Amino acid sequence: MAFPPLLFPLFSLLLATLSLAQTPSAPAPTPEGPINVTAILEKGGQYTTLIRLLNTTQVGDQINNQLNNSHDGMTVFAPTDNAFSNLPSGTLNNLNPQQQVQLILYHVAPKYYSRADLLTVSNPVRTQASGQDGGVWGLYFSGEGNQVNVSTGVVETQINNALRQEAPLAVYEVDKVLIPKEFSEAKAPVASPPPSTNTSTGSNTTKSTGAAAEAPESGSGRLQMGVGLVAGVGLFCMGLLS
Ligand SMILES: *[C@@H]1O[C@H](CO)[C@@H](O)[C@H](O)[C@H]1NC(C)=O
Ligand SMILES: *[C@@H]1O[C@H](CO)[C@@H](O)[C@H](O)[C@H]1NC(C)=O
Ligand SMILES: *[C@@H]1O[C@H](CO)[C@@H](O)[C@H](O)[C@H]1NC(C)=O
Ligand SMILES: *[C@@H]1O[C@H](CO)[C@@H](O)[C@H](O)[C@H]1NC(C)=O
Ligand SMILES: *[C@@H]1O[C@H](CO)[C@@H](O)[C@H](O)[C@H]1NC(C)=O
Ligand SMILES: *[C@@H]1O[C@H](CO)[C@@H](O)[C@H](O)[C@H]1NC(C)=O
């Protein structure tokens, strides 16, 4: 038989073609279809807290929509589960819903930045939280060589891994939660828990703004209780009359 020698190369060529066809088919899902931040983070495998927060704050949907509708792209700084668990205990729970949204928005920049872009960008870099409360809510980048650091003014860390770095979306792993300095400036409860002696400097102003910000809610709560009380007394009186 003269065939096997011929068939063998053909067969192995076929195998090679098949495996070649399979290798590129793994990254293939990314380019087509709308970009889904949650899916990218899920693949990363260590972002369950961030995924949960993106979901509850609906910032995840916002990112996906904006990616589909803007030409600037976006950049997400993704704290790992470790980063969240390294926060002082109660940090997240002490944030009201609005602050949780602000915290997550602060991890998102409304523009695509490659690592090289971050090295030359002019500081501070606007985030999705910028402009709220008249605060800057900016991030500060610095670097040497290939190393990029990000700082909030309160927290600084290095940017190591990119989960994705391809316009229009960059997702970078960060091993610290980027606590905005606006939290410690405007609303004491979050980042400045040191119960040491000299918290007095800022706590005056912070307490008053914090109280002012929360006043409407507790005020309406009291109002509702008041209405309930009046209605209850009214019903009681009607009961007496009938
Ligand atoms: C994004 O991906 C997540 C996780 O894979 C999935 O639960 C969600 O439905 C996706 N969202 C959209 C809009 O496709
Ligand atoms: C997102 O939140 C909804 C309810 O608000 C929940 O049904 C859903 O499972 C959550 N998805 C993820 C990925 O956490
Ligand atoms: C993306 O935008 C296009 C038009 O701008 C729209 O038709 C499409 O439904 C959008 N897709 C998503 C997932 O929002
Ligand atoms: C980056 O941050 C690390 C600490 O996380 C620090 O040791 C290093 O000096 C910083 N590098 C630059 C260029 O700021
Ligand atoms: C607290 O601040 C005052 C001045 O503002 C200073 O004299 C004092 O030493 C400070 N105390 C501590 C414990 O830092
Ligand atoms: C704190 O309050 C005292 C009086 O209550 C005031 O004299 C002082 O200036 C305030 N400090 C700041 C930083 O606002």
Side-chain angles (χ1 to χ4, degrees), residues 23-42:
T23 332
S25 81
T30 338
E32 288 312 323
I35 297 172
N36 182 341
V37 167
T38 309
I40 292 169
L41 292 171
E42 263 182 6

Side-chain angles (χ1 to χ4, degrees), residues 71-94:
H71 298 293
D72 287 337
M74 309 203 91
T75 301
V76 175
F77 300 95
T80 58
D81 289 333
N82 246 341
F84 279 104
S85 57
N86 284 337
L87 286 173
S89 68
T91 303
L92 278 186
N93 290 337
N94 287 338

Side-chain angles (χ1 to χ4, degrees), residues 34 39 45 49 52 76-77 97 105 125 128 149 151 158 170 178 195-196 222 225 238:
T49 310
R52 178 169 58 77
V76 175
F77 300 95
L105 289 176
V125 168
Q128 288 290 87
N149 278 16
S151 170
Q158 299 182 348
L178 304 176
S196 58
R222 248 180 267 129
M225 273 180 61
M238 283 169 70

Side-chain angles (χ1 to χ4, degrees), residues 34 65 68-69:
N65 285 335
N68 192 29
N69 294 320

Side-chain angles (χ1 to χ4, degrees), residues 106 138-140 150-157 178-182 184-185:
Y106 187 61
L139 290 169
Y140 300 80
V150 58
S151 170
T152 71
V154 181
V155 173
E156 175 170 26
T157 190
L178 304 176
I179 300 290
K181 70 170 183 282
E182 279 77 3
S184 42
E185 280 170 356

Side-chain angles (χ1 to χ4, degrees), residues 143-240:
E144 282 166 354
N146 279 332
Q147 182 56 56
V148 185
N149 278 16
V150 58
S151 170
T152 71
V154 181
V155 173
E156 175 170 26
T157 190
Q158 299 182 348
I159 291 175
N160 295 317
N161 279 328
L163 293 177
R164 178 191 158 110
Q165 190 182 180
E166 183 190 349
L169 175 67
V171 182
Y172 299 106
E173 173 186 327
V174 285
D175 61 3
K176 285 183 188 163
V177 178
L178 304 176
I179 300 290
K181 70 170 183 282
E182 279 77 3
F183 275 177
S184 42
E185 280 170 356
K187 291 156 193 170
V190 191
S192 48
S196 58
T197 39
N198 268 347
T199 33
S200 42
T201 3
S203 60
N204 258 359
T205 42
T206 51
K207 260 179 198 151
S208 51
T209 40
E214 276 157 24
E217 262 186 17
S218 49
S220 68
R222 248 180 267 129
L223 186 65
Q224 278 172 10
M225 273 180 61
V227 169
L229 191 66
V230 169
V233 171
L235 283 175
F236 181 67
C237 291
M238 283 169 70
L240 280 185

Side-chain angles (χ1 to χ4, degrees), residues 38 42 48 51-53 55-56 58:
T38 309
E42 263 182 6
T48 53
I51 291 170
R52 178 169 58 77
L53 287 167
N55 190 22
T56 56
Q58 299 184 343

